[in-house]
Amino acid sequence: MIEIRGLHKSFGALKVLQGVDLHIPLEKTTVILGRSGAGKSVLLKHIIGLMRPDRGKVWINGLDITRLGDKDLNEMRKKFGMLFQEAALFDSMNVEENVAFPLREHTKLSEKDISRIVAQKLEQVGLPGEEKKMPAQLSGGMKRRVGLARALVLDPEIVLFDEPTAGLDPPMAAAIEDLIIETQRKLGRTFVVITHNIHTAFHIAHKIAMLHEGRIIEEGTPRAFRRSSNFVVQVFMSRGEEKEVK
Amino acid sequence: MRKVWKTVNIVGEKVAKYIDEMGRMLLLLLDTIRWSFSPPFRLDLLFQQMDRVGVRSVLVVVLTGTFTGMVLALQSFHATRGFGAETMVGVAVALSMTRELGPVLTSFMVAGRAGSAMAAEIGTMRITEQIDALFTMAINPVKYLIVPRVLASIVVVPMLTIIADFVGIVGGYFMGVTVLGINAGSYVANMEKYVALDDIYHGVIKALVFGLILSIIGCYKGYTTTGGAVGVGRATTESVVLSAIVILMANYLLTAAMF
């Protein structure tokens, strides 16, 4: 379980997070929704300890990670997998080396076992037999699949997704959404997804929270979220629908 | 008066920015030293960087050293011929190469070839979130990316300097003895008489410091890159220019301290 209380973060005069309170349930997919520049990525970076808050707490399974030192934070990060917006694959390594990287760094598995696990993870994300390709040879969607395979390779308890469908064409975006749903169902892990895409949110979420002006202004199941009386949420949803129609 | 204040303001801001940057660079250096002594020690990454920074720079260093030695011989031959001291050409070449030009030119070449590559590579990793990805995979980027590059540079720049010294002296001998016809015996005898091992040692110590400077600047500029592809280009250029300036300043200080 992830619990965030009173999280504040500013960059100079710019107040990005102004008291975020959020409960992220175990073994479900929670989507944090918000327009571009709302501070979603900043919030995600606080969850994995890449940023330290000015004020507030982040508890992961009862442990306040804002108080952890570098060493403990590193240990805690091993429980996480993260898929970055552009996948952040290491471009000097091929697909196999990218996916195997966390295994080689953190386990003492034999090369044979590593190859077996990598092949299995690539199969899981729908890219069997692509081990030897370099990231430059992959499409945006394929990169994200490889990124997901790398994020899952240590069987993390929590998987974070930073705008997993941004910049993809609609069929590819839908395929990535389906992959997230299927993977979450199969593994039963805690998924946290940030997106500005309302359709992605409704497609994959068990819970949706909306971040606006540094605070969570609405949260609930997709059904409850649709019925929200919050004006900003309504406008966001209607604009999302309009955009989709266009 | 207002114009004067404005100028003072602008200059002050620039100075403050440079001091701030130097401070950050120093902090990165301290972090690098700390992680250098923290196990596990990644010899594979160190050897990989020694290959990239060192082995792949050999050709350019050999060419630079040889032609520098040759031109030194040519210039000092013309300067000494007037008073019959041509046999001192070897001394001039050897002292210039070992004390100054060997370490400085080698470091410039490595800064241009490998230091800029460090800034570009790490800078690209920064803007494409690969460095954040390392953090999320519980791998410290300073240990994984910067420590091997800095250690490799400290080891290989002195080695390359010795190569540059050697080929420079050989180039000078070729020019002086073979082309200009200076007596080979007195050329070598004078060199042996006036060039001490300390001259070579001091040059090598300088090279070690320059290796540290060019690598930490290259890594720092890459690590702090912002602003997309333009930012990577800027970081690369700045790393070479700043490395050259700091190497020349350090060269003066080291020379004043050692000779």
Side-chain angles (χ1 to χ4, degrees):
Chain A
M1 179 183 74
I2 302 172
E3 197 74 40
I4 299 166
R5 284 284 161 257
L7 206 67
H8 286 75
K9 183 72 179 177
S10 300
F11 298 98
L14 183 67
K15 291 178 179 173
V16 179
L17 303 180
Q18 302 182 61
V20 172
D21 295 313
L22 181 63
H23 166 81
I24 295 171
L26 267 184
E27 296 169 8
K28 301 278 181 208
T29 299
T30 300
V31 172
I32 300 166
L33 191 65
R35 61 177 174 76
S36 301
K40 305 185 295 294
S41 292
V42 172
L43 178 57
L44 204 67
K45 284 178 179 173
H46 279 88
I47 294 174
I48 198 168
L50 280 178
M51 283 184 181
R52 300 239 182 215
D54 299 335
R55 255 190 299 153
K57 307 275 181 208
V58 178
W59 282 280
I60 310 282
N61 296 338
L63 188 70
D64 178 10
I65 66 158
T66 59
R67 288 168 169 266
L68 295 181
D70 284 351
K71 208 174 165 188
D72 293 331
L73 207 51
N74 245 8
E75 279 308 306
M76 189 276 305
R77 283 189 190 127
K78 290 180 189 166
K79 292 179 184 169
F80 282 87
M82 182 159 172
L83 174 60
F84 286 84
Q85 195 167 342
E86 303 285 340
L89 299 178
F90 301 123
D91 33 36
S92 58
M93 300 178 188
N94 65 24
V95 167
E96 183 185 25
E97 289 163 339
N98 262 289
V99 179
F101 187 78
L103 291 171
R104 292 202 169 111
E105 291 296 321
H106 293 306
T107 69
K108 292 195 166 100
L109 290 171
S110 68
E111 282 302 309
K112 200 177 153 192
D113 286 338
I114 289 175
S115 296
R116 183 180 48 77
I117 295 169
V118 169
Q120 182 196 332
K121 293 294 171 189
L122 286 174
E123 173 108 42
Q124 199 176 328
V125 298
L127 283 178
E130 303 282 1
E131 281 91 338
K132 297 300 167 203
K133 279 197 174 155
M134 296 302 284
Q137 296 172 287
L138 303 176
S139 69
M142 287 166 93
K143 277 185 191 168
R144 279 174 226 203
R145 284 171 189 266
V146 177
L148 181 58
R150 187 176 70 180
L152 296 174
V153 79
L154 286 177
D155 292 325
E157 291 172 27
I158 301 160
V159 187
L160 308 178
F161 298 77
D162 185 358
E163 300 276 9
T165 57
L168 297 180
D169 59 63
M172 185 57 78
I176 295 289
E177 287 166 13
D178 289 341
L179 181 63
I180 293 173
I181 294 168
E182 195 189 311
T183 313
Q184 200 281 331
R185 232 177 249 157
K186 208 180 281 175
L187 302 177
R189 301 299 190 187
T190 307
F191 280 18
V192 183
V193 182
I194 61 167
T195 183
H196 63 269
N197 187 321
I198 192 109
H199 296 278
T200 300
F202 282 124
H203 190 184
I204 65 176
H206 294 110
K207 173 179 178 173
I208 301 177
M210 179 147 177
L211 184 67
H212 181 71
E213 292 183 344
R215 287 192 183 86
I216 298 293
I217 55 165
E218 187 64 90
E219 58 182 303
T221 61
R223 182 179 288 189
F225 197 84
R226 273 188 199 280
R227 290 200 300 256
S228 169
S229 57
N230 186 301
F231 179 69
V232 177
V233 174
Q234 283 178 352
V235 170
F236 194 87
M237 283 199 290
S238 62
R239 294 254 167 97
E241 303 285 350
E242 274 171 29
K243 207 175 164 189
E244 194 62 21
V245 170
K246 279 174 192 171
Chain B
M1 195 64 187
R2 190 177 283 177
K3 265 190 178 174
V4 175
W5 275 119
K6 205 175 167 189
T7 314
V8 169
N9 238 338
I10 292 168
V11 172
E13 245 173 48
K14 289 235 179 229
V15 171
K17 197 184 141 213
Y18 277 117
I19 292 172
D20 180 63
E21 194 165 33
M22 287 296 164
R24 286 172 196 275
M25 226 177 276
L26 192 67
L27 287 177
L28 182 65
L29 176 62
L30 293 177
D31 218 16
T32 306
I33 294 169
R34 184 167 70 97
W35 283 105
S36 299
F37 292 102
S38 146
F41 302 106
R42 298 293 302 265
L43 287 179
D44 54 333
L45 296 176
L46 178 65
F47 290 144
Q48 191 186 53
Q49 288 306 320
M50 283 171 72
D51 174 53
R52 282 192 194 178
V53 180
V55 178
R56 295 185 200 182
S57 299
V58 169
L59 182 64
V60 71
V61 166
V62 165
L63 288 172
T64 313
T66 308
F67 284 104
T68 307
M70 285 167 70
V71 86
L72 274 174
L74 195 58
Q75 290 282 16
S76 43
F77 175 75
H78 290 304
T80 54
R81 192 170 49 175
F83 43 92
E86 302 98 295
T87 52
M88 294 302 280
V89 165
V91 180
V93 172
L95 282 181
S96 309
M97 285 306 298
T98 54
R99 284 183 173 196
E100 296 296 332
L101 294 175
V104 171
L105 289 181
T106 302
S107 310
F108 278 10
M109 288 300 134
V110 177
R113 236 204 99 262
S116 61
M118 290 175 200
E121 202 179 336
I122 297 176
T124 306
M125 291 184 76
R126 167 64 76 192
I127 62 162
T128 54
E129 295 185 305
Q130 292 175 49
I131 289 181
D132 282 345
L134 282 173
F135 269 122
T136 61
M137 284 184 259
I139 293 156
N140 186 288
V142 174
K143 182 161 179 64
Y144 187 78
L145 295 173
I146 298 180
V147 168
R149 283 168 172 79
V150 172
L151 290 183
S153 302
I154 290 174
V155 174
V156 299
V157 175
M159 289 180 177
L160 291 169
T161 298
I162 292 170
I163 294 174
D165 290 351
F166 176 74
V167 296
I169 290 169
V170 170
Y173 181 89
F174 168 76
M175 180 52 75
V177 175
T178 315
V179 180
L180 301 169
I182 303 171
N183 180 281
S186 38
Y187 186 99
V188 175
N190 276 340
M191 212 158 66
E192 275 184 13
K193 191 172 170 191
Y194 291 106
V195 181
L197 260 184
D198 270 359
D199 293 317
I200 299 170
Y201 291 152
H202 288 160
V204 169
I205 291 168
K206 280 184 177 182
L208 189 147
V209 176
F210 299 162
L212 175 67
I213 290 170
L214 72 90
S215 56
I216 204 74
I217 289 176
C219 291
Y220 171 82
K221 286 290 175 186
Y223 200 64
T224 53
T225 298
T226 51
V230 177
V232 175
R234 193 172 46 230
T236 311
T237 313
E238 282 177 4
S239 80
V240 178
V241 175
L242 190 61
S243 293
I245 293 169
V246 178
I247 284 170
L248 288 175
M249 284 162 57
N251 186 42
Y252 167 74
L253 294 174
L254 289 168
T255 305
M258 288 192 297
F259 294 107

